Amino acid sequence: MTTSTDHATDRPITLSAPSGIDRSAHHRLDEAWLAAAWSHPTTRVFVVSGGQALVDDTPDGRTELVMTPSFEAPPTENHRYFLGTDQEGVRYFALQKDSLPGRMDQSARPAGLREAGALLSERDAGLLVHAVALENWQRLHRFCSRCGQRTVIAAAGHIRRCPACGAEHYPRTDPAVIMLVKDDQDRALLGRQVHWPEGRFSTLAGFVEPGESIEQAVVREVAEEAGVTVGEVEYVASQPWPFPSSLMLGFMAQATSSRIQVDGEEIHEARWFSRDDLRAAIESGEVLPPSGISIAARLIELWYGEPLPRG
């Protein structure tokens, strides 16, 4: 496998660009420090619920997370997660609640990462990714996998401890490979999953299996889903994808065969596209490209050479 760092620096991939937040993990077990940070007047807090937070569209055209000082935040007993500190020393917390709070001015709206991720600043997008990932994990892992007892939150939301057997459980991250496959004619292989709407095409992807390297996963997934064999594999960049807990590892891959045979279970249709083919298909509405927030769109754009047309 080769590694290409210049690909990743051409244009930051949404949700993986530097957020400007130091996660300050060494403070997570320091209850006195956390209490002082929570009560500091510059601390900012936002609520996350069901993968969404409140965002506000500003008069100058920006979209921002709705954050408040800690003394204005809704009360919560345990679900208070420390997310980090910025360069000005401002501390950030997320509160997990069953619902988002209302806003007196009615100017804010609920939004998830898919809706607002590409609109938020790098700081706000990074904070929301962190908070959504923790919320997903907390909701799905409330009981000890060793003894079945209910666990309690520790380390400012980053550990769950079992009071019965003493086990500690950490946030789960599932590695997944996502790849833009090219053939000897420099065409791109794009596929449509069985549950996607007609015309929706994207790169191939799949989870890394136990005992498997990420390079092996790229080769296996392309062969399983499209029947195409792959030789050289080049790492590009990664993207956290908390839907619910994936880390997408992006690759360029070179095909050594071109015959397509889809599996019919995950992939319903796959096609080779030249750049002209893809441009014409998108402009005509025959093909719907992946969301601009996703690493899939960025991988396609790296091959395409410029931002994708949007119909």
Side-chain angles (χ1 to χ4, degrees):
M1 181 185 74
T2 58
T3 301
S4 177
T5 55
D6 58 330
H7 283 326
T9 55
D10 287 344
R11 183 165 62 86
I13 295 175
T14 307
L15 301 187
S16 67
S19 67
I21 298 294
D22 180 350
R23 294 198 173 197
S24 304
H26 58 290
H27 289 308
R28 292 173 185 165
L29 295 172
D30 188 339
E31 294 297 335
W33 187 93
L34 290 170
W38 175 258
S39 62
H40 198 279
T42 64
T43 292
R44 290 296 177 264
V45 181
F46 65 94
V47 175
V48 60
S49 179
Q52 293 189 318
L54 290 178
V55 300
D56 211 348
D57 300 314
T58 66
D60 58 0
R62 292 177 295 112
T63 299
E64 297 180 336
L65 274 178
V66 174
M67 291 189 264
T68 66
S70 56
F71 61 83
E72 294 182 2
T76 183
E77 294 182 2
N78 297 313
H79 296 278
R80 186 169 75 189
Y81 310 142
F82 173 59
L83 304 179
T85 306
D86 68 15
Q87 295 177 345
E88 284 72 45
V90 177
R91 288 81 175 236
Y92 296 90
F93 288 81
L95 301 181
Q96 178 181 324
K97 302 289 286 184
D98 291 334
S99 62
L100 295 175
R103 289 272 288 181
M104 294 299 292
D105 55 16
Q106 299 297 313
S107 65
R109 57 186 172 87
L113 284 166
R114 285 190 173 94
E115 299 86 6
L119 305 175
L120 296 170
S121 68
E122 293 172 0
R123 183 204 68 181
D124 284 6
L127 290 170
L128 187 55
V129 169
H130 192 174
V132 168
L134 285 177
E135 183 204 20
N136 283 331
W137 173 65
Q138 294 283 358
R139 288 187 185 279
L140 297 175
H141 295 82
R142 293 177 294 172
F143 297 91
C144 180
S145 59
R146 289 186 182 179
C147 69
Q149 294 297 310
R150 192 176 188 93
T151 54
V152 296
I153 297 173
H158 295 77
I159 293 176
R160 291 194 74 102
R161 289 199 178 109
C162 179
C165 71
E168 288 189 345
H169 303 279
Y170 295 85
R172 174 175 173 171
T173 298
D174 301 319
V177 292
I178 182 167
M179 43 276 173
L180 191 286
V181 181
K182 300 178 291 183
D183 70 357
D184 56 5
Q185 300 178 51
D186 201 27
R187 297 180 299 175
L189 178 64
L190 303 179
R192 182 167 71 86
Q193 292 189 17
V194 294
H195 60 275
W196 286 356
E198 188 73 28
R200 173 71 69 192
F201 279 83
S202 187
T203 53
L204 303 182
F207 287 103
V208 180
E209 294 187 346
E212 184 177 50
S213 71
I214 54 176
E215 299 90 345
Q216 291 170 333
V218 171
V219 174
R220 176 184 54 77
E221 284 289 344
V222 175
E224 287 179 355
E225 294 185 348
V228 172
T229 57
V230 163
E232 183 179 359
V233 174
E234 180 185 23
Y235 173 74
V236 178
S238 63
Q239 180 188 43
W241 194 248
F243 302 110
S245 57
S246 299
L247 176 64
M248 307 302 295
L249 306 166
F251 293 87
M252 292 290 185
Q254 186 63 46
T256 58
S257 69
S258 59
R259 179 176 178 271
I260 296 173
Q261 185 174 357
V262 297
D263 62 4
E265 296 181 1
E266 292 186 57
I267 301 298
H268 177 74
E269 179 184 3
R271 293 163 53 185
W272 292 105
F273 290 88
S274 69
R275 291 170 180 81
D276 289 341
D277 292 338
L278 185 60
R279 181 187 307 110
I282 293 175
E283 290 177 347
S284 70
E286 177 188 354
V287 165
L288 304 173
S291 164
I293 193 177
S294 69
I295 191 173
R298 183 67 179 113
L299 291 172
I300 297 172
E301 288 176 347
L302 285 174
W303 161 79
Y304 189 72
E306 60 184 275
L308 291 173
R310 290 287 163 182

